[in-house]
Amino acid sequence: MSASRLLISIIIMVSASGSSCMDGKQMTQIYSKMSAEGNISQPVLMDTNAMLCCPPIEFRNLIVIVWEIIIRGQPSCTKAYRKETNETKETNCTDERITWVSTPDQNLDLQIYPVAITHDGYYRCIMATTDGSFHRGYHLQVLVTPEVTLFQSRNRTAVCKAVAGKPAAQISWIPEGFATKHEYWGNGTVTVESMCHWGGHNASTVTCHVSHLTGNKSLYIKLNSGLRTSGSPALDLLIILYVKLSLFVVILVTTGFVFFQRINYVRKSL
Ligand SMILES: *[C@@H]1O[C@H](CO)[C@@H](O)[C@H](O)[C@H]1NC(C)=O
Ligand SMILES: *[C@@H]1O[C@H](CO)[C@@H](O)[C@H](O)[C@H]1NC(C)=O
Ligand SMILES: *[C@@H]1O[C@H](CO)[C@@H](O)[C@H](O)[C@H]1NC(C)=O
Ligand SMILES: *[C@@H]1O[C@H](CO)[C@@H](O)[C@H](O)[C@H]1NC(C)=O
Ligand SMILES: *[C@@H]1O[C@H](CO)[C@@H](O)[C@H](O)[C@H]1NC(C)=O
Ligand SMILES: *[C@@H]1O[C@H](CO)[C@@H](O)[C@H](O)[C@H]1NC(C)=O
Ligand SMILES: *[C@@H]1O[C@H](CO)[C@@H](O)[C@H](O)[C@H]1NC(C)=O
């Protein structure tokens, strides 16, 4: 097995897009029109800057706004702003990475920077205005890019690994035929390991495709193709025979030529 040469190449397709309020704002228009409570599922990459937006309102109509932050295993934290008195108040908030984007008289949005794996949770903006009340809830899902590797194992088997991703990555193979196992870590990440045995196929490449919310990756191993590995002894013999025969012919012709010259020489001198 050691004789086979490995060629591994990586194609990184998409790097996850940072989260912003942009797409949220378009949805907001719909929500605020309906004046209904809506929850938004918001995936964000770890270590990035996440912004969570309130529904857009006429600021002059604002009375009070409250951000409610519910993270598992922590007391719920609230950040409130009363416009009349230009006063902010916090209760049970200890995480310094979760802040107002600016002072609330400038911007009512919430910022998480940098996003950590423990920021999974529910974040809700509640506003009271002279036009009525508005809500917007976010289910924040923190994403962690898995570390992807592919290596050749013994016995015509390849192993593809997506280490410590969140959520779990999905691994598929060309050619098909795999066994996958999952390892769950305490911090919410998952390591996925998959094997592909190509014994039944005469494939020239084995490709492992890892799909994940943070972007897909394809890795492949080029297997040695053709004559050398499949080893056809009959053909090898033929090649050796051919080389030997050619050499023999060359020697024969040379000797013949020299011999002929000699005869010529002898004849001339006679
Ligand atoms: C939004 O999510 C919260 C927390 O999970 C839940 O209590 C509430 O019922 C949800 N609201 C809607 C409209 O789904
Ligand atoms: C603050 O935390 C305490 C203890 O977990 C809880 O009882 C209380 O409701 C929290 N206050 C707010 C405003 O969430
Ligand atoms: C509100 O308070 C902030 C500081 O908390 C201050 O910078 C701002 O000028 C105040 N705005 C008004 C309208 O008083
Ligand atoms: C190699 O694979 C073949 C067929 O799957 C199996 O019979 C054999 O036991 C394997 N050998 C080793 C060393 O894993
Ligand atoms: C999660 O835990 C695994 C296993 O201990 C570790 O390899 C990984 O780096 C951790 N990830 C984060 C984001 O803490
Ligand atoms: C190997 O691949 C070639 C070309 O794809 C195919 O014609 C042949 O039948 C395959 N042989 C086996 C044993 O799978
Ligand atoms: C990643 O792969 C999955 C499954 O193959 C596919 O559904 C998805 O569209 C791909 N995503 C990107 C960004 O290419």
Side-chain angles (χ1 to χ4, degrees), residues 37-39 70 122 124 137 139:
E37 179 174 345
N39 283 330
I70 301 167
Y122 182 62
R124 186 162 64 145
H139 288 289

Side-chain angles (χ1 to χ4, degrees), residues 19-189:
S19 58
S20 75
C21 288
M22 291 308 201
D23 25 350
K25 266 196 177 126
Q26 291 159 350
M27 295 180 82
T28 301
Q29 284 157 7
I30 302 162
Y31 280 116
S32 58
K33 261 182 207 153
M34 300 191 303
S35 193
E37 179 174 345
N39 283 330
I40 297 166
S41 172
Q42 182 82 60
V44 294
L45 251 184
M46 191 177 77
D47 289 334
T48 60
N49 186 0
M51 297 242 266
L52 303 177
C53 308
C54 293
I57 49 143
E58 287 288 345
F59 184 75
R60 63 189 151 88
N61 296 341
L62 179 72
I63 301 166
V64 70
I65 172 191
V66 177
W67 272 103
E68 185 183 41
I69 298 153
I70 301 167
I71 294 174
R72 243 171 69 136
Q74 290 177 24
S76 76
C77 135
T78 55
K79 293 174 187 289
Y81 172 73
R82 180 173 291 278
K83 190 188 154 216
E84 197 187 352
T85 54
N86 192 30
E87 236 184 339
T88 54
K89 193 178 167 202
E90 301 200 344
T91 315
N92 288 343
C93 302
T94 51
D95 195 328
E96 284 169 2
R97 295 165 294 191
I98 304 174
T99 58
W100 297 97
V101 166
S102 171
T103 54
D105 61 320
Q106 301 289 322
N107 193 332
L108 301 173
D109 300 333
L110 194 73
Q111 172 177 268
I112 309 170
Y113 180 74
V115 173
I117 203 163
T118 49
H119 284 137
D120 266 348
Y122 182 62
Y123 298 71
R124 186 162 64 145
C125 172
I126 306 155
M127 293 192 293
T129 76
T130 52
D131 297 330
S133 67
F134 299 88
H135 308 257
R136 162 89 72 75
Y138 293 91
H139 288 289
L140 200 79
Q141 184 194 19
V142 180
L143 308 179
V144 181
T145 310
E147 210 169 291
V148 178
T149 55
L150 171 65
F151 54 92
Q152 191 169 358
S153 184
R154 256 167 290 156
N155 210 4
R156 298 165 73 74
T157 300
V159 177
C160 194
K161 263 186 167 187
V163 175
K166 184 173 177 294
Q170 290 185 321
I171 298 178
S172 56
W173 291 93
I174 304 168
E176 268 182 59
F178 50 85
T180 304
K181 66 172 182 187
H182 292 75
E183 248 176 306
Y184 295 87
W185 305 111
N187 57 20
T189 64

